[in-house]
Structures are given as C-alpha cells and as structure tokens.
Amino acid sequence: MDELKVRMAELIEAINRYNYAYYTLDKPLISDKQYDDLYYELVDLEKKAGVVLDGSPTKKVGDVVLDKFQKIKHEKKLYSLNKANTFDELSDWIRDMFKFGHTRFSVEYKYDGLRIIAKYSKGKLVNCATRGDGIIGEDVTEQVKVINNFPKKIAYTGDITVMGEVLMKKSVLEKYNKTHEEKLKNPRNAAAGGLRNLDTAVTRERNLSAIMYDVLTSDMSFGSQLEMHEFLKNQGFDTFDFYESCGTFSQVKEIIENVDKIKNNIDVLIDGMVIKVDNVGLREDIGYTEKFPKWALAYKFEAQELTSKVVDIIWQVGRTGKLTPICEIEPIELAGATVTRATLNNYDDIKRKDVKIGSNVFVRRSNEVIPEILSVAEHFDSSIDIEKPTTCPSCGQKLHYDDINIFCVNDNCPERIIQSLTHFASKPAMNIEGLSEKTIRSLYNDLKITKCSQIYEIKNSDLTVLDGFKDKKINNLVSSIENSKNIDLSNFIFALGINGVGVKTAKDLAKTFGDLESIKNASLDDLIGIKDVGDIIAENIYEYFHNATNLKEIEKLCKLGININTIDSSTIQDSIFSNKTVVLTGTLDGMSRDEATIYIEKLGGKIVSSVSSKTDFVLCGENAGSKLTKANSLGIKILYLDDLKNELSKYKLM
C-alpha cells in the first residue's frame, strides 16, 4: 500500500505540473497521449488502493484561473469528458448506455482548442468565459467580441448559455506564420494565447474562430442533440457543419474510422470524436460522476504527436550539397511505428524552434510522412546548444551558408556523389530495381563508381566483390540495369538531378520540347516561358545543359545504350485512362504517387489535384481522405491500384 501511495503522489505532482503548464501557461510540456497515460495510471492506482490523495487531479476539472482576468461564476458546473482509446472501450460504453433504454448517439468532432461559455439575454451577448476550474472561469467577453464568426446578437430573445471552442484554423496559422517573425507553435496554443490576452488587438490579429456545439441552459428545451445543433446553426453560430447521428456501435465505429482517414485534411485541429447520448431527456437519468458526464465519451485518435528527448543532431548531405539536420531522439511508438529520428528543415529551423540536445521536443508523424520536430516542450539545465557546422561531415571541406541553408560546394564530396547516384537509379528516374542506396554505397566504396554512366559499364564479374552478392542477385541487378536503358524523356530528365527539377517540371519540359536535343538547345527565355518554371529553375536548367562535363556524361550514357523515348511515343491512346482526368488519393501499397502519376500519363491520362464534376476517375489507396468523400458525392468512378496494374500489364508496362 505504501508503494502505491508513493507512486500516486509522484503522479499527482507530475500531472498537476503538466496541468498548470497546459491550462494556465498555455505551454504544454507533454503530448495528450502521454498525459492520458499518466492520468489513467493514477485512476487505476486509486481504484486499487481504495483511496484518493489530497490534490488529486482526478477530482478536478480544468485548472487555475488567471488573476489578470475578471472572474465569472458558471451557472452550472462544467465537466470534462471521459476518454476511450480503443473500440473495445467504446463498445463497452455503448453497451452500458443501452441499459438505460434503446437510444441513438450523436457523433461530432473533438476540437483541440480552448472551451468558452457564452451567455445571452434578450438576444444580446451578456458575457463570455473560459471553462476555468469548472466552477469559475475567466471573463474573455471583450476578446470574444473581436472574433469575426462569433455572433454578438442572436434571434432568440430568451436567456440562454451556449458552449463551444475557440480555435485557430490550420490555414490561418500557416498564413500568420508566413507574415510574422515570431512563429506560433500550433493551432491550440495560438488560440489559447490569443484569447487569454488582455490586449484584444492580439486576439483580433490571430483571426480566431469559434465553433459552438452545446446549449447548457435555456428557457427552451431540446429533445435531441440534433435539435440543439440545428438551433445553434439557425442562430448564426458556426457549427463547422459536421454532425452524425446513428444507433449502433458498428455505425459509430464506421464514422470514426472515416474521419480518422481524413482528419489531416480538415482545416481545424481535432484529436478525436465526441459521442453523446442523443436523447437530451435521457441524460439526467444516466447522470454524472464527479468529473465526467456518464452520457458522453471522447474517442481519441491514435497519437500523431508525442514528446521525446533529443539525443544528437546528424547533418545529412544531399545530392545538391544541402545539409539537412536529422534529430536523433529517444525511441517512441508513434502512429504505428518506432521513431528514432525526426527532421528539421535547416539550421535556421533549429534556432527558430530553439531545439537543443538533451531537451524534450514535440515530434509529429502522420500516415507515412517522415517524422518532424514541431517545437520544444521543455529545456533542462543539461540541455546543450546545437552549433552550426563549419565543415562537411562527409568530405571535411569548408561549408557555405546562404543565410537560410548550409551547403557543401565540393562536387567530389562522397555523400553528394552517393546521393546523386541513388537519385539516378530511383523509381521515378531510371527505375533500376535492386540498386538501393546501400548497394550504391558498396559500388562507390568497392568499385569506385562515381558517375552514372559507370553503372552501365558494370559486368557480372565486377559484382562478385560486393558483400552478399551471389549469382542470382548479380544476374538480377545486371538485368535490371540493362532493362532501364529504354527510358521515357521525362524520367531521364528527372534522373539527371538538375537542381529544382522535380517530376512535374521534368514532365513539363518533355511535353514542351518533345526531345532531349530541343531541351539542350532551349534559350533561357524559352525555359522561363514554361508555366510554373521560375527564373531560378530556368537558369539551373540552362546552365546544366551548357556545362561541358554534363553534356559529355549525357553523350556517354547514350553511347552505352540509353534509348530516350520522345513524349509522343510514351503515350498510349486507347487505354481506359486515355484523355481522362484522374485524381490520386490515399496511400498506394507498393507504388509511390510519383510512379502512379508517370504510369497514368503513359496510359494517356492527366493527373489533376482536386476533385470536381469534370474529374473522370479517382484512383484510391489506403487512408483515402476528403477527395474520396467528394468523389462519392459526385458519383465519380473509383479505381484502385489493381485496376491500374491490370492496365499496365495489358500494355506490358509492368
């Protein structure tokens, strides 16, 4: 028992510290997932011990009310929401709700913002407060008045109190950070900092939004959550136009799964879904705990953001010489994967986010996106500043700093050469199957291969010196190198690795000029005239094809058997994709978006970015988002990866 109480005391101290940082200072120190783990560990220990220690956060709602604000006492006690992290927990809760009589459930977004409670009388706003500790909140009436989508007057003339969330839309945050030197970390902190600020000019500048979802007290009564939702909407409140009602666990589960797939495409930050008993009259019978309403539950999505400690910074050299900082962190399980590394953009990104070795940082990973460092959670006395590198970690030569990025300008830098060869062999480029970065490192180290053309001079006997290469593997690689010689013009241009020329620009060049000779002979004005090709990229292309070394390498590649197809010969006119517009959505298992785009264009199709009534097909993969939803609503035909593969097989393209 003593050991339990010691651990409970440790948890209480930690959780209260995190609560103060989150609710009072608007500076979270750990992720929601990590907080929930600590909180529910304390709940379990309290059940086991049969005792609740003084100061336990399991009995409190919210946190300290800031002294700088006037206080407002709420007309009725406010509650937090109990959480479910698994569908089994959600199923158990729904089963319990059915014990009170057959019912329906409302399903709404769980917004990650700052809760507000607004009181109206005779159609006019009386006051507005934060949740505070659930009994007393902070008076933020003047701050809320400068929120554009929040009505100061409503048609209903009785006394009414409504509840909702103040938040900053993702698009607004992105725009704000582009125009302000001091960057805001995330939408939740940006909203909280803007609302809990005595200077309403700060609130106005952040262009916050208010989403309302509940009527707490009113002279009128509501039969269901849907009636409440429609009432708020009719009074001019923004409800974000998402509301679902259903009657079974499987239906609730399906709604949650669908939203989980598209949550990153929604313009507001949500971290789960709120499920409520739809029958308002039934709620009082179901009742409350000291902290939660029993008739409502928050289902939390799998964590996409956690905190971890920075162990070290590794500077990665790319093919253009640009150095990218890779942050080594203590291992965390994030979005279905063990994460030990996360990216930062450049040295300025390190300074702006104040990242230090030994500090805790917020790490985010969504779907298959490379994990990134979002911001610092907490520094310690042992935290160490990250120094700007002065010499290349690969070749040791002095680095060049252009005020934003750091570059190694040594063309003979080993890492630059390896990354250039890797790019050349990649699927969207020459597509040399089996020639991975690991194998290329062996080719560089053991066979001294430094130029792309040397790949086509490799013989079977050369590969016997490589570790792990036996007859079958050697034959496969040599065959793959040989098969790559027949290449489309756009793929070849991309493979050359011209700075700034991605897959799309390579296609645009191929479509505009038709053959390699025309591209080589294009003037700077010709290149600038191509849509979406700016001055800098045009200069890069022009300089590349006027460099004697580059031209010599291209000539050698052609002499070694590279056959470059012109744009006309690479397009098939009688496939199902011919002259059709196609939108890609979701993750295609075993095929990248770039590859799918290249294949569809070979089959005569055109890739567009957004779904409209003019779209012919949507090619759908796993975790498809709002594009799939819109396509279904418009009746657009949905195709899958197997459909594309069948068409590729039909024309012997795969």
Side-chain angles (χ1 to χ4, degrees):
M1 180 66 74
D2 287 342
E3 289 181 2
L4 288 182
K5 288 185 177 180
V6 168
R7 178 56 182 161
M8 287 162 63
E10 290 173 350
L11 289 169
I12 289 169
E13 181 181 1
I15 293 169
N16 284 336
R17 175 171 169 257
Y18 295 139
N19 278 342
Y20 181 77
Y22 184 87
Y23 290 110
T24 306
L25 302 180
D26 296 320
K27 293 181 179 179
L29 299 178
I30 58 174
S31 70
D32 288 351
K33 168 67 166 58
Q34 289 159 317
Y35 176 89
D36 288 345
D37 287 345
L38 295 176
Y39 181 88
Y40 286 106
E41 181 187 351
L42 178 60
V43 170
D44 290 341
L45 290 178
E46 287 176 345
K47 289 178 181 177
K48 200 172 187 178
V51 64
V52 177
L53 301 182
D54 290 342
S56 174
T58 63
K59 302 303 176 186
K60 293 195 299 181
V61 175
D63 205 81
V64 178
V65 178
L66 295 182
D67 290 333
K68 66 182 182 180
F69 286 95
Q70 295 294 317
K71 313 294 190 294
I72 291 180
K73 185 174 181 180
H74 300 305
E75 292 184 66
K76 61 185 294 187
K77 181 179 176 180
L78 303 179
Y79 293 86
S80 297
L81 285 173
N82 203 1
K83 299 181 181 71
N85 295 304
T86 67
F87 284 121
D88 284 344
E89 293 171 343
L90 175 61
S91 177
D92 289 344
W93 177 80
I94 286 178
R95 193 178 300 114
D96 287 341
M97 293 304 101
F98 277 120
K99 293 176 183 177
F100 292 92
H102 184 72
T103 187
R104 293 184 65 78
F105 301 94
S106 65
V107 187
E108 300 167 90
Y109 291 152
K110 183 180 180 299
Y111 301 102
D112 195 2
L114 192 69
R115 194 178 303 185
I116 56 166
I117 296 85
K119 181 179 179 181
Y120 289 81
S121 182
K122 298 179 181 179
K124 294 182 180 180
L125 177 66
V126 177
N127 59 47
C128 189
T130 63
R131 180 179 67 173
D133 62 6
I135 305 296
I136 296 173
E138 300 148 344
D139 186 347
V140 290
T141 308
E142 297 307 312
Q143 287 76 7
V144 165
K145 283 180 179 178
V146 302
I147 296 176
N148 289 330
N149 76 330
F150 190 84
K152 288 72 181 174
K153 294 181 180 180
I154 59 175
Y156 182 72
T157 57
D159 291 338
I160 190 168
T161 304
V162 298
M163 183 166 67
E165 209 96 359
V166 167
L167 43 85
M168 190 181 213
K169 292 185 177 180
K170 296 176 186 177
S171 57
V172 172
L173 177 68
E174 184 179 359
K175 185 176 180 181
Y176 182 98
N177 281 343
K178 285 180 179 177
T179 56
H180 289 75
E181 187 174 337
E182 186 177 346
K183 311 300 181 187
L184 300 174
K185 290 183 178 180
N186 58 57
R188 197 271 171 193
N189 283 7
L195 189 67
R196 303 174 86 194
N197 198 303
L198 293 178
D199 186 356
T200 55
V202 173
T203 314
R204 181 182 286 106
E205 186 180 30
R206 296 199 179 178
N207 193 18
L208 304 178
S209 299
I211 309 295
M212 310 307 287
Y213 46 71
D214 215 342
V215 177
L216 294 178
T217 62
S218 173
D219 294 340
M220 65 184 295
S221 59
F222 298 94
S224 68
Q225 183 69 28
L226 177 59
E227 286 182 25
M228 202 179 291
H229 180 88
E230 290 300 318
F231 170 81
L232 289 168
K233 192 174 178 180
N234 292 335
Q235 295 302 311
F237 293 103
D238 192 344
T239 58
F240 209 71
D241 290 334
F242 180 89
Y243 179 88
E244 295 286 348
S245 176
C246 52
T248 66
F249 164 71
S250 60
Q251 290 171 335
V252 174
K253 181 173 180 283
E254 183 180 3
I255 293 168
I256 291 172
E257 288 175 333
N258 288 338
V259 174
D260 195 11
K261 292 174 183 177
I262 66 167
K263 63 180 180 292
N264 294 324
N265 299 324
I266 300 170
D267 199 21
V268 295
L269 195 64
I270 63 172
D271 57 3
M273 303 296 287
V274 176
I275 304 96
K276 301 174 186 175
V277 170
D278 195 44
N279 187 328
V280 175
L282 199 57
R283 293 176 182 177
E284 292 303 315
D285 294 336
I286 298 172
Y288 302 80
T289 68
E290 189 172 347
K291 188 169 180 176
F292 308 120
K294 294 180 181 178
W295 45 264
L297 189 73
Y299 180 89
K300 295 294 289 289
F301 294 136
E302 183 180 33
Q304 293 182 297
E305 186 178 312
L306 293 174
T307 57
S308 182
K309 181 172 286 188
V310 177
V311 176
D312 200 2
I313 290 286
I314 294 173
W315 291 94
Q316 194 173 75
V317 185
R319 61 184 172 83
T320 64
K322 178 184 172 183
L323 269 68
T324 301
I326 305 297
C327 200
E328 288 194 331
I329 59 174
E330 291 182 348
I332 50 175
E333 295 297 320
L334 186 57
T338 300
V339 175
T340 58
R341 288 186 169 190
T343 62
L344 288 154
N345 292 327
N346 46 42
Y347 184 71
D348 277 10
D349 200 28
I350 291 174
K351 301 304 290 182
R352 181 173 61 82
K353 293 175 180 175
D354 197 26
V355 177
K356 298 181 181 182
I357 294 171
S359 295
N360 282 349
V361 293
F362 284 99
V363 183
R364 183 175 179 81
R365 178 180 185 266
S366 55
N367 297 331
E368 299 302 314
V369 176
I370 298 169
E372 62 173 325
I373 302 295
L374 293 180
S375 61
V376 168
E378 190 171 13
H379 289 309
F380 305 100
D381 291 340
S382 57
S383 297
I384 303 170
D385 288 336
I386 297 167
E387 299 295 331
K388 184 196 296 183
T390 56
T391 58
C392 176
S394 177
C395 67
Q397 291 207 15
K398 187 176 179 180
L399 296 169
H400 172 70
Y401 183 52
D402 69 355
D403 293 332
I404 298 176
N405 294 305
I406 302 171
F407 289 91
C408 172
V409 294
N410 176 19
D411 291 337
N412 295 315
C413 173
E415 195 62 27
R416 287 188 63 182
I417 292 170
I418 288 168
Q419 293 303 323
S420 293
L421 293 171
T422 302
H423 172 84
F424 181 83
S426 65
K427 286 186 177 181
M430 300 302 291
N431 191 19
I432 306 177
E433 191 174 345
L435 197 49
S436 64
E437 181 179 330
K438 181 180 177 181
T439 300
I440 284 172
R441 287 187 183 279
S442 297
L443 296 180
Y444 176 85
N445 293 323
D446 298 331
L447 300 182
K448 310 305 177 190
I449 287 179
T450 60
K451 296 183 182 300
C452 299
S453 58
Q454 291 175 299
I455 292 172
Y456 293 94
E457 296 176 322
I458 294 174
K459 301 180 180 63
N460 291 53
S461 57
D462 297 328
L463 297 173
T464 58
V465 301
L466 301 187
D467 186 37
F469 271 73
K470 304 299 181 186
D471 288 348
K472 184 178 180 181
K473 191 171 183 180
I474 290 171
N475 290 333
N476 287 343
L477 180 55
V478 171
S479 294
S480 183
I481 292 171
E482 185 64 27
N483 292 337
S484 74
K485 288 182 177 179
N486 190 41
I487 190 75
D488 290 337
L489 177 58
S490 61
N491 297 68
F492 184 76
I493 295 167
F494 178 69
L496 295 176
I498 304 168
N499 195 8
V501 176
V503 171
K504 182 182 182 301
T505 302
K507 289 176 194 168
D508 290 341
L509 287 168
K511 289 176 182 177
T512 302
F513 296 103
D515 58 64
L516 185 61
E517 283 303 310
S518 298
I519 297 173
K520 284 159 59 174
N521 296 325
S523 69
L524 189 56
D525 287 341
D526 291 336
L527 295 167
I528 292 173
I530 301 173
K531 186 181 177 182
D532 298 328
V533 174
D535 293 356
I536 294 175
I537 294 177
E539 287 176 11
N540 291 343
I541 298 166
Y542 183 84
E543 289 175 6
Y544 185 91
F545 287 110
H546 285 76
N547 179 292
T549 302
N550 294 337
L551 293 176
K552 186 177 179 181
E553 176 68 359
I554 292 172
E555 184 182 356
K556 187 174 180 181
L557 284 166
C558 293
K559 284 182 178 178
L560 288 167
I562 300 295
N563 177 43
I564 304 170
N565 299 318
T566 62
I567 190 67
D568 291 335
S569 67
S570 65
T571 302
I572 294 168
Q573 296 298 327
D574 58 350
S575 80
I576 62 169
F577 293 102
S578 295
N579 302 313
K580 303 294 185 183
T581 58
V582 184
V583 172
L584 304 179
T585 184
T587 303
L588 302 173
D589 186 24
M591 184 181 293
S592 70
R593 290 278 190 100
D594 286 341
E595 289 177 86
T597 299
I598 291 168
Y599 283 137
I600 288 170
E601 289 183 343
K602 284 180 182 178
L603 292 166
K606 178 185 177 183
I607 298 295
V608 294
S609 59
S610 58
V611 177
S612 72
S613 57
K614 296 180 180 179
T615 305
D616 294 299
F617 303 127
V618 168
L619 184 67
C620 179
E622 295 180 5
N623 300 317
S626 56
K627 293 178 182 178
L628 176 60
T629 304
K630 187 172 182 179
N632 285 326
S633 69
L634 293 172
I636 293 167
K637 185 172 181 179
I638 309 300
L639 299 178
Y640 297 92
L641 186 57
D642 284 346
D643 297 311
L644 174 57
K645 287 181 176 178
N646 288 339
E647 201 69 4
L648 291 171
S649 178
K650 177 180 173 183
Y651 292 98
K652 297 185 167 94
L653 293 175
M654 190 172 190

